[in-house]
Amino acid sequence: KNEVEQSPQNLTAQEGEFITINCSYSVGISALHWLQQHPGGGIVSLFMLSSGKKKHGRLIATINIQEKHSSLHITASHPRDSAVYICAVKFNTDKLIFGTGTRLQVFP
Amino acid sequence: KAGVTQTPRYLIKTRGQQVTLSCSPISGHRSVSWYQQTPGQGLQFLFEYFSETQRNKGNFPGRFSGRQFSNSRSEMNVSTLELGDSALYLCASSWTTTSGGYYNEQFFGPGTRLTVL
C-alpha cells in the first residue's frame, strides 16, 4: 500500500527559529518532491530528491532511503516562509501520492 | 521563459453541467499532469499526458477526461458536474514523462478554482 505521512500538520515559529518538517512513506520510492504552496494556491517546486541531501539558500532537504523518511529544514525562518509545505512521493508502483501538508506560520 | 498558464482562473458552474479547463506548459515541456486539490482530500493526481498520450491515471471516475495537443497544450474536461467536484485544479508541466518509473521536477500553474453550485 502506498502511504505518505507528513508532520506536523501545523507549525508556528518566531522569526529566526530553525524549522523541521517531516515526511515518511511506506514502501520503495523513485523520488520525493518538496513543494511550497502560498495562500491563493500557487505551488512552487523546492527540491526533488532520490537520495542524500540538497541545499538552496536557507532551505535544506534530506532523505534517508533505509528509514523511508525525508525532512525539510528551514534555517533562520522568516515571515515570508509562511506557507503550506507538501511532500509528493513517487512510488516504485508509479503512483504519486501527496502528503497532507504542513501549514507553517512564522511571526516577526 | 514563461511559466505554466491555466485558464480560466475562476469558474462557477451548476450541477449537471460540464466544464473544460486549459493548461499551457512551459515552452519545451512535453508532459502535462493534472491534479485536484480539495480541503478534505488534499492534492490528488488525476492524469498525465505526454506526447498526446495518456501515460498514467489516478483513481477518478470516467467523468474526468483530458487530452493533449501536438503543441503540448492540454485540456481537462469534467462532465455531469457534482457538488464534490468543487476544487482547485492544478496542472504541472515537465520536460519529459513522470510515469513508467520516471519522475522529473514538475512546475505548477496557478490553478483554476472551480465552484459547482
Side-chain angles (χ1 to χ4, degrees), chain A residues 33 37 45 48 90 94 96, chain B residues 35 37 56 98 100-101 103 105:
Chain A
H33 200 173
Q37 186 171 32
S45 169
M48 197 179 78
K90 182 72 165 179
D94 218 24
L96 180 66
Chain B
Y35 301 93
Q37 187 177 35
N56 204 353
T98 59
Y103 187 77
E105 187 174 14

Side-chain angles (χ1 to χ4, degrees), chain B residues 32-45:
Chain B
V32 173
S33 296
W34 287 91
Y35 301 93
Q36 182 196 65
Q37 187 177 35
T38 61
Q41 299 295 320
L43 268 164
Q44 296 183 91
F45 170 71

Side-chain angles (χ1 to χ4, degrees), chain A residues 4-16:
Chain A
V4 177
E5 290 191 9
Q6 205 177 320
S7 63
Q9 200 169 350
N10 294 286
L11 192 50
T12 302
Q14 288 294 124
E15 184 173 355

Side-chain angles (χ1 to χ4, degrees), chain A residues 58-106:
Chain A
R58 295 179 296 105
L59 300 178
I60 303 166
T62 63
I63 188 166
N64 186 316
I65 299 297
Q66 286 72 32
E67 294 185 5
K68 298 185 177 55
H69 179 267
S70 176
S71 293
L72 176 68
H73 305 287
I74 305 175
T75 62
S77 59
H78 190 277
R80 65 173 173 265
D81 296 327
S82 298
V84 176
Y85 293 83
I86 302 168
C87 65
V89 179
K90 182 72 165 179
F91 289 93
N92 289 334
T93 55
D94 218 24
K95 296 293 183 189
L96 180 66
I97 305 292
F98 294 87
T100 51
T102 295
R103 185 175 301 275
L104 171 65
Q105 288 184 294
V106 182

Side-chain angles (χ1 to χ4, degrees), chain B residues 54-116:
Chain B
Q54 188 181 88
R55 293 301 180 100
N56 204 353
K57 189 177 188 304
N59 190 26
F60 278 81
R63 300 185 296 107
F64 292 82
S65 62
R67 59 178 176 168
Q68 187 179 35
F69 302 95
S70 58
N71 61 357
S72 295
R73 189 178 69 85
S74 177
E75 287 182 346
M76 190 193 97
N77 185 274
V78 188
S79 62
T80 320
L81 283 165
E82 301 176 359
L83 294 178
D85 297 332
S86 294
L88 180 68
Y89 290 89
L90 292 149
C91 79
S93 77
S94 179
W95 73 276
T96 189
T97 185
T98 59
S99 303
Y102 300 99
Y103 187 77
N104 297 282
E105 187 174 14
Q106 297 187 77
F107 297 86
F108 286 79
T112 295
R113 190 165 295 279
L114 171 65
T115 301
V116 182

